[in-house]
Each structure stands twice: as structure tokens, then as C-alpha cells.
Amino acid sequence: MARKRLIEEDRRRRKSDGDMVQRPNVFAAQHGDYAIKRENFANGSHAQMRVNLNESPLSGLARRKGADGKPFLSAPNWGRAWRKIGIGF
């Protein structure tokens, strides 16, 4: 009986976690311009994602860390990439 209850609680928790992914974060929404982007893939499948139109993909790479713990994209390389795509600072 207890096992059945735990399994049901776990299912409910997982379902509510999935719902939360779709719900916009109120605090993050203050700092961005969000839109739903539909990405179509070559195999015919598609995915929808929420994107911040005010943020560059380069900024996301600059925040990531590599396996060694160092920044994936260093500050000088981030600046070069911005200049390369013609936006500059």
C-alpha cells in the first residue's frame, strides 16, 4: 500500500514539474523579451522553445563552463565573436 502511494506521489510530482517548465518565470521575465520559437528539423520533427530575444547565443556560451571548469568561451574570444558578426560594443 505504501509503495503504491509513493509511486502515485512521484507521478504527480513529475507531472507538475513538467508543467512548470512551460510556465514563464516571473522574475526572469522582468529582464527579457521572451517569445516562443518553433524549430523544424530535417527529419520532420519539431520543437518549441522559449527564447529571450534580448540575449545573444554568445552570451549563453560565455556563461557555460567546460569539463575542466574553465569558461567555454573566454572574454577575449567572446569580444572577437561579437566583432566578427558585426555587432561590436
Side-chain angles (χ1 to χ4, degrees):
M1 190 62 145
R3 180 175 174 220
K4 203 175 205 182
R5 181 177 46 92
L6 288 172
I7 290 171
E8 187 58 36
E9 286 175 5
D10 186 55
R11 280 188 188 140
R12 269 185 272 147
R13 181 182 51 79
R14 287 177 191 228
K15 185 173 189 242
S16 68
D17 288 349
D19 292 343
M20 191 167 178
V21 171
Q22 296 299 324
R23 220 173 306 146
N25 183 336
V26 178
F27 299 107
Q30 298 174 39
H31 305 287
D33 183 15
Y34 292 95
I36 301 296
K37 179 181 176 187
R38 181 181 171 116
E39 190 72 30
N40 295 314
F41 301 107
N43 65 3
S45 65
H46 67 275
Q48 287 187 338
M49 57 194 98
R50 198 171 66 114
V51 295
N52 183 351
L53 300 175
N54 291 335
E55 182 176 288
S56 162
L58 288 174
S59 299
L61 290 174
R63 282 194 306 273
R64 290 183 186 261
K65 303 274 186 215
D68 57 359
K70 294 180 182 174
F72 183 78
L73 188 63
S74 67
N77 287 338
W78 184 79
R80 283 187 207 107
W82 271 104
R83 287 188 293 278
K84 178 87 171 160
I85 60 175
I87 296 175
F89 323 103

